Amino acid sequence: SYQLLAAGDSMGKLHILELPRNLRRPILNEKEIMQSFCERELERVQYVGSTLKTFKNIADDSNKLLDLGDKGVDQDLQDEQQQSMLELIEKSEQEYLKLEKE
């Protein structure tokens, strides 16, 4: 026995497709597996969005430091701020790797 799927496209054409057996019968725990996948993807998208904001802030801060450096600001202060930015980048990378393992 087989099942057919009728689908129309934007041009008004009707397509009749035969569904393979593996698409007709769910696998064991398929709903839970897909729910978990969607949740992980949502977390990943949110993480990437927040990381992009963080890196934009870091880039803005770096540009400010460069401007201040041209004006003779204390080198130790610049080094300290640069180190804190590098630590933030490393922390973000570790959080992402942790998220990928889940």
Side-chain angles (χ1 to χ4, degrees), residues 65-77:
L65 283 176
L66 290 173
D67 291 343
L68 291 175
D70 293 340
K71 296 176 184 174
V73 173
D74 184 20
Q75 183 64 38
D76 290 337
L77 177 60

Side-chain angles (χ1 to χ4, degrees), residues 20-38:
R21 185 176 192 165
N22 62 344
L23 292 180
R24 287 184 270 152
R25 290 189 170 66
I27 63 170
L28 183 64
N29 298 325
E30 182 175 10
K31 187 174 181 179
E32 291 82 10
I33 292 169
M34 291 308 299
Q35 179 75 29
S36 175
F37 171 77
C38 291

Side-chain angles (χ1 to χ4, degrees), residues 49-65:
S50 68
T51 301
L52 288 176
K53 289 178 188 175
T54 300
F55 286 131
K56 183 184 180 316
N57 291 339
I58 289 171
D60 292 344
D61 290 346
S62 294
N63 289 334
K64 288 177 188 174
L65 283 176

Side-chain angles (χ1 to χ4, degrees), residues 3-102:
Q3 279 189 314
L4 300 175
L5 172 68
D9 63 19
S10 62
M11 301 294 289
K13 293 182 182 177
L14 179 63
H15 302 273
I16 307 294
L17 307 166
E18 182 179 351
L19 290 177
R21 185 176 192 165
N22 62 344
L23 292 180
R24 287 184 270 152
R25 290 189 170 66
I27 63 170
L28 183 64
N29 298 325
E30 182 175 10
K31 187 174 181 179
E32 291 82 10
I33 292 169
M34 291 308 299
Q35 179 75 29
S36 175
F37 171 77
C38 291
E39 289 171 359
R40 284 193 320 269
E41 282 300 300
L42 181 60
E43 288 175 10
R44 186 185 66 79
V45 167
Q46 290 171 342
Y47 172 79
V48 168
S50 68
T51 301
L52 288 176
K53 289 178 188 175
T54 300
F55 286 131
K56 183 184 180 316
N57 291 339
I58 289 171
D60 292 344
D61 290 346
S62 294
N63 289 334
K64 288 177 188 174
L65 283 176
L66 290 173
D67 291 343
L68 291 175
D70 293 340
K71 296 176 184 174
V73 173
D74 184 20
Q75 183 64 38
D76 290 337
L77 177 60
Q78 287 182 25
D79 291 343
E80 181 181 318
Q81 290 176 334
Q82 185 177 18
Q83 182 63 33
S84 67
M85 284 188 276
L86 291 173
E87 289 171 1
L88 181 60
I89 291 170
E90 179 64 28
K91 179 182 174 189
S92 295
E93 180 67 19
Q94 294 301 322
E95 288 175 5
Y96 179 74
L97 292 174
K98 180 180 174 187
L99 182 63
E100 282 292 310
K101 289 180 182 178
E102 292 178 358

